[in-house]
């Protein structure tokens, strides 16, 4: 079922959902299940599975370094299919511009359709580690909006190189990313919102936001988006701080601000067990306020470990 239909059917109740990251190549999917199992009691209608793009590794061959391109966490679609099958929930694979040609994207979407996956999240992806700026893959897309366009074309039976008359068209519901504190490359929040509006005009059905730690930023973002004419559901994505290093890492990687009160509380912690508790408490407060404000879904970034998300969900749902 489509994410937007889950929202429509919820009668205004805030839904619980979360995002997971495929395990590093070679690890067992059982580890993933062990993490997901405790969250299933909160009845997520959908679970997102991220896609990580390829990266360079260097293999030492008798003193000479061999540069190879590899994907450390493949398996997004396999995980989506296995979770859907095991738990009977909808899964949302993340589809990226970076690292994929348009044809590869088409084949991936065909597989999604065969597997009964009704939702995809259309994302550009970040620059590769060695690159300062995002470089589109040869034969791939430059922006997430191009990906939205391709998915919606396919929904109408217009494949890349052929139009197929069929009554078995895909009908993907498409999610896109939004940034309450603006995307790091955008010159301003307003211009970033204009880009978000383009994605919606091209057929994005809902928006999931980047993490934020100050709800005011989210509320202002939603207000600005609505003023600009973006009417689709906007789902807040949130994450509990879990280790002290997040104070530097999260602003650096995601360009988000951490409120001073939270910084002080984390700095007072003697170890990461205490930090995890502070993160949980902050996220509970954030969640309760967002729920009170009537957000359609609370979407948690689980980053592989679920004990803290479970502690939050227990208080909020
Ligand atoms: C909910 C969520 C899930 C994510 N999941 C993943 C994942 O699974 N894997 C992963 O690798 N990354 C993921 N990301 C990160 C995402 O790939 C990066 O933030 C990436 O840098 C931007 O992706 P986007 O889809 O927002 O890009 P876009 O919407 O293409 O925007 C990228 C930048 O280009 C600008 N822009 C857009 N269109 C134009 C235009 N026509 N002309 C000029 N500028 C333009 C925008 O303002 C923005 O600054 C996720 C992010 C979020 C919020």
């Amino acid at each position: 079922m489509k994410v937007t239909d889950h929202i429509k059917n919820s009668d205004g109740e805030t839904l619980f959902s979360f995002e997971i990251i495929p395990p590093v190549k070679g690890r067992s999917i059982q580890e993933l299940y062990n993490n997901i199992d405790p969250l299933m009691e909160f009845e997520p209608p959908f679970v997102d599975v991220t896609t990580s793009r390829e990266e360079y590794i260097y293999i030492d061959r008798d003193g000479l370094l061999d540069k190879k391109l590899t994907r450390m966490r493949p398996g997004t679609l396999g995980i989506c299919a296995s979770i859907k099958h095991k738990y009977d929930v909808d899964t949302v694979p993340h589809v990226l511009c970076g690292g994929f040609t348009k044809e590869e994207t088409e084949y991936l979407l065909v597989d999604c359709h065969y597997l009964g996956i009704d939702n995809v999240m259309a994302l550009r992806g970040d620059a590769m580690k060695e690159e300062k700026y995002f470089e589109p893959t040869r034969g791939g897309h430059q922006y997430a909006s191009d990906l939205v366009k391709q998915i919606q074309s396919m929904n109408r039976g217009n494949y890349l190189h052929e139009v197929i008359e069929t009554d078995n068209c895909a009908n993907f519901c498409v999610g896109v990313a939004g940034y309450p504190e603006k995307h790091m490359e955008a010159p301003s929040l307003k211009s970033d919102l204009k880009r978000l509006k383009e994605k919606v005009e091209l057929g994005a059905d809902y928006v999931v936001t980047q993490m934020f730690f100050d709800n005011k930023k989210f509320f202002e973002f939603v207000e600005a988006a609505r003023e600009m004419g973006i009417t689709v559901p906007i789902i807040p994505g949130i994450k509990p701080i879990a280790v002290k290093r997040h104070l530097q890492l999260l602003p650096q990687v995601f360009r988000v601000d951490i409120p001073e009160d939270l910084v002080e509380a984390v700095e007072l912690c003697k170890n990461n067990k205490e930090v995890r508790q502070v993160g949980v408490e902050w996220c509970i407060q954030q969640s309760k306020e967002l729920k009170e404000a009537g957000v359609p879904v609370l979407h948690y970034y689980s980053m592989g470990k679920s004990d803290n998300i479970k502690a939050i969900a227990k208080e909020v749902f």
Side-chain angles (χ1 to χ4, degrees):
M1 195 159 113
K2 292 183 173 195
V3 166
T4 46
D5 287 334
H6 283 297
I7 293 172
K8 271 184 215 141
N9 293 347
S10 71
D11 280 338
E13 278 289 307
T14 300
L15 302 169
F16 165 77
S17 83
F18 59 92
E19 175 188 287
I20 54 167
I21 302 173
V24 173
K25 203 159 39 189
R27 302 287 286 267
S28 152
I29 196 167
Q30 189 55 47
E31 288 175 38
L32 197 69
Y33 293 152
N34 293 346
N35 258 312
I36 294 175
D37 280 344
L39 299 180
M40 283 303 156
E41 70 174 273
F42 305 103
E43 299 180 346
F46 63 93
V47 174
D48 275 52
V49 185
T50 64
T51 294
S52 50
R53 65 174 304 180
E54 76 286 24
E55 55 190 277
Y56 284 109
I57 55 164
Y58 296 87
I59 303 163
D60 191 344
R61 297 201 198 277
D62 299 330
L64 286 176
L65 289 181
D66 202 359
K67 188 177 176 187
K68 292 284 179 202
L69 204 53
T70 189
R71 227 174 265 278
M72 295 298 197
R73 294 174 184 270
T76 300
L77 194 55
I79 288 170
C80 283
S82 63
I83 292 177
K84 186 173 159 55
H85 179 69
K86 183 173 164 65
Y87 299 103
D88 194 22
V89 293
D90 281 301
T91 46
V92 187
H94 291 191
V95 181
L96 300 185
C97 302
F100 296 87
T101 65
K102 295 170 198 171
E103 282 77 9
E104 284 166 339
T105 297
E106 183 169 283
Y107 308 146
L108 180 74
L109 293 169
V110 168
D111 281 339
C112 288
H113 187 38
Y114 287 150
L115 288 165
I117 287 170
D118 296 323
N119 305 277
V120 291
M121 187 76 189
L123 298 146
R124 188 195 71 178
D126 284 322
M128 287 182 75
K129 278 191 190 132
E130 297 75 10
E131 291 170 354
K132 204 162 169 48
Y133 302 105
F134 176 84
E135 281 291 334
T137 297
R138 187 190 289 245
H141 293 299
Q142 166 103 49
Y143 295 113
S145 52
D146 303 319
L147 205 47
V148 175
K149 224 187 292 179
Q150 181 179 356
I151 299 163
Q152 290 299 357
S153 288
M154 204 177 131
N155 277 348
R156 293 188 295 273
N158 297 333
Y159 289 71
L160 286 173
H161 308 305
E162 54 271 281
V163 176
I164 299 178
E165 298 283 341
T166 170
D167 50 11
N168 179 38
C169 272
N171 187 14
F172 293 114
C173 172
V174 184
V176 289
Y179 301 83
E181 298 178 61
K182 97 172 178 62
H183 183 256
M184 63 181 89
E185 294 161 29
S188 69
L189 184 58
K190 189 155 185 198
S191 72
D192 204 25
L193 271 165
K194 281 188 191 158
R195 300 302 182 190
L196 179 60
K197 191 168 181 218
E198 282 168 14
K199 292 193 274 194
V200 173
E201 283 169 349
L202 287 165
D205 298 288
Y206 68 99
V207 176
V208 182
T209 74
Q210 182 57 278
M211 68 183 74
F212 55 90
F213 295 92
D214 178 356
N215 286 349
K216 194 164 166 272
K217 302 247 167 80
F218 173 79
F219 294 134
E220 286 170 359
F221 173 74
V222 173
E223 199 182 324
R226 299 299 181 225
E227 271 170 21
M228 204 172 261
I230 298 171
T231 56
V232 297
I234 301 179
I235 297 173
I238 51 177
K239 172 189 158 48
I241 281 195
V243 290
K244 220 169 217 179
R245 214 164 76 85
H246 277 161
L247 288 186
Q248 286 79 44
L249 198 70
L250 301 179
Q252 191 191 358
V253 176
F254 301 107
R255 308 297 160 98
V256 292
D257 257 10
I258 303 188
E260 205 42 43
D261 287 355
L262 179 55
V263 174
E264 280 170 14
V266 170
E267 278 174 346
L268 282 175
C269 292
K270 290 191 271 312
N271 52 46
N272 278 335
K273 192 169 171 231
E274 286 183 18
V275 175
R276 216 166 167 80
Q277 187 52 33
V278 166
V280 164
E281 281 163 20
W282 187 273
C283 202
I284 289 172
Q285 293 315 317
Q286 262 195 289
S287 303
K288 284 185 172 168
E289 193 185 17
L290 290 162
K291 193 167 175 238
E292 187 73 28
V295 297
V297 183
L298 278 165
H299 186 69
Y300 294 92
Y301 295 112
S302 85
M303 314 295 257
K305 287 203 183 132
S306 65
D307 61 308
N308 51 359
I309 307 295
K310 179 172 178 175
I312 295 159
K314 247 169 94 176
E315 292 295 319
V316 180
F317 291 93

